[in-house]
Amino acid sequence: MIGLVDYGMGNLLSVRHALEMVGAEVTLCRNGEDLRQVERIVLPGVGAFRDCMMNLKKRGLIEALEEAVLRLGKPILGICLGMQAMARRSFEGGEHPGLGWLEADVVRLHPDPPALRVPQIGWNEIRYRTGSPFFKTLPPSPDFYFVHSYFVKCDDQAIIEATCDYGGPVTAAVRKGNIFATQFHPEKSQDYGLKVLEHFLSWKP
């Protein structure tokens, strides 16, 4: 059973639909008890970082996520804002603390040339780490769909699973222990995105 975290910030319908297309049984998790019942977790997100963290806190989900992910080791997939929430802090609209699971900051895109539009909206090629369990059946430079103005800047380059170029290197995916997260939207990335979700379901960190 996959637990899709519902904290009022996610594109739940499209993520749920994509997960079900690759064979997942999905349930919405709105509280800690819900998270205790699932084997894997997906943390989606669309919107502003500060609102994301406030909503997780209001619903008592921060402690429940820490219990499930950090202490019980359940595999988790963060998508877009869900990935950014895993960083220690974000500079979107000021400085705001995140979950602190990744030694990383969330910073604004500053593409060079500056004529490149921010937010980045649309398809972009990624380059992924050789042997990645999430991209293993994909071609060398697959396209994924991005919608974002900020990205996760990692202290430790070893956790970067994939990057893209948008007027400079941008973190496209990270992996750390039982944590996997993408800046792009696999649920909107057609066949390649479905493959990433499929590989997450069978991933054994």
Side-chain angles (χ1 to χ4, degrees):
M1 178 71 75
I2 305 295
L4 181 57
V5 183
D6 178 7
Y7 61 108
M9 299 290 293
N11 44 338
L12 296 178
L13 285 178
S14 58
V15 175
R16 179 171 196 159
H17 179 65
L19 286 166
E20 290 176 343
M21 283 185 70
V22 295
E25 188 178 353
V26 182
T27 186
L28 296 182
C29 293
R30 298 187 173 96
N31 55 53
E33 182 57 32
D34 292 342
L35 282 171
R36 279 190 279 276
Q37 308 304 317
V38 301
E39 299 160 359
R40 293 171 188 264
I41 299 166
V42 175
L43 181 63
V46 173
F49 187 95
R50 177 174 174 272
D51 295 339
C52 165
M53 294 306 300
M54 285 178 60
N55 283 12
L56 287 172
K57 185 175 181 180
K58 280 180 186 174
R59 299 185 184 206
L61 285 165
I62 291 179
E63 295 80 6
L65 283 167
E66 288 176 347
E67 170 72 16
V69 176
L70 302 184
R71 284 186 280 281
L72 298 178
K74 294 183 181 183
I76 185 169
L77 165 62
I79 298 175
C80 196
L81 184 59
M83 172 189 185
Q84 296 179 4
M86 297 174 177
R88 64 183 161 222
R89 60 184 172 175
S90 170
F91 292 98
E92 181 183 1
E95 181 177 336
H96 307 286
L99 294 170
W101 300 349
L102 305 175
E103 293 179 354
D105 292 334
V106 180
V107 300
R108 185 172 174 79
L109 289 167
H110 286 291
D112 182 16
L116 278 175
R117 177 180 175 178
V118 176
Q120 175 185 199
I121 300 176
W123 296 87
N124 200 348
E125 288 185 353
I126 71 160
R127 293 178 296 279
Y128 58 84
R129 186 181 294 278
T130 301
S132 169
F134 304 99
F135 304 101
K136 57 187 177 184
T137 58
L138 275 61
S141 301
D143 288 339
F144 287 91
Y145 190 81
F146 290 79
V147 182
H148 66 125
S149 297
Y150 288 77
F151 74 101
V152 173
K153 187 174 182 179
C154 300
D155 295 354
D156 181 4
Q157 303 300 298
I159 70 169
I160 297 176
E161 192 79 347
T163 61
C164 68
D165 186 281
Y166 193 70
V170 173
T171 307
V174 296
R175 174 165 56 119
K176 178 183 177 184
N178 55 314
I179 297 168
F180 174 60
T182 67
Q183 184 60 66
F184 58 81
H185 287 268
E187 79 279 9
K188 296 179 179 177
S189 297
Q190 300 182 2
D191 290 348
Y192 292 160
L194 293 178
K195 275 296 177 188
V196 169
L197 294 177
E198 184 180 324
H199 292 323
F200 171 70
L201 296 182
S202 61
W203 179 42
K204 295 178 180 177

